[in-house]
Amino acid sequence: GVQLVESGGGLVQPGGSLRLSCEASGFTFSSFDMSWVRQAPGKGLEWVSSITGGGTNAYYRDSVKGRFTISRDNAKNTLYLQLNSLKTEDTAMYYCAQGSGLAIRTETRGQGTQVTVSS
């Protein structure tokens, strides 16, 4: 079955950067769009970004445009999210998931990686 393992989170000051990774297995990675979603304390899951299977097209929620960059290495079955100019409101557990748009399969997400932005 689908297995996704997120890593790379941590504690960072406002304005700082992190690079999240998501290692995928159990499916043909390059054939699927992939997404990052996040969940802040006490709130529901929120879509962050998606990328097409070949990596050609990427999409972002408005609040992260210009600050976050999604990418993928299909040879390594790995999805990335570069987080720059972090804000306190970016604090959340970040998950990767198979699919995009209305077809995001949130049930495929892994254990997540915690991003905490605090001074």
Side-chain angles (χ1 to χ4, degrees):
V2 175
Q3 286 197 318
L4 299 171
V5 179
E6 303 91 342
S7 63
L11 172 63
V12 63
Q13 292 185 340
S17 297
L18 286 171
R19 189 193 197 202
L20 308 184
S21 298
C22 168
E23 295 185 19
S25 61
F27 64 104
T28 304
F29 182 68
S30 60
S31 295
F32 287 84
D33 295 353
M34 294 292 295
S35 297
W36 286 97
V37 297
R38 66 186 180 186
Q39 187 166 25
K43 297 189 177 181
L45 277 175
E46 176 180 85
W47 171 75
V48 177
S49 181
S50 297
I51 188 168
T52 51
T56 303
N57 297 310
Y59 307 91
Y60 303 92
R61 69 179 300 106
D62 287 347
S63 62
V64 308
K65 280 181 183 176
R67 301 189 297 120
F68 292 8
T69 303
I70 192 171
S71 62
R72 64 192 297 161
D73 185 336
N74 286 342
K76 295 182 178 179
N77 287 353
T78 303
L79 178 73
Y80 303 100
L81 187 68
Q82 178 69 41
L83 289 65
N84 295 332
S85 303
L86 281 161
K87 303 177 180 180
T88 55
E89 52 263 43
D90 294 319
T91 295
M93 186 72 79
Y94 284 70
Y95 304 90
C96 60
Q98 194 185 63
S100 64
L102 295 178
I104 293 178
R105 296 183 58 203
T106 56
E107 72 274 17
T108 62
R109 68 190 191 274
Q111 83 291 343
T113 187
Q114 178 68 40
V115 172
T116 302
V117 185
S118 175
S119 55

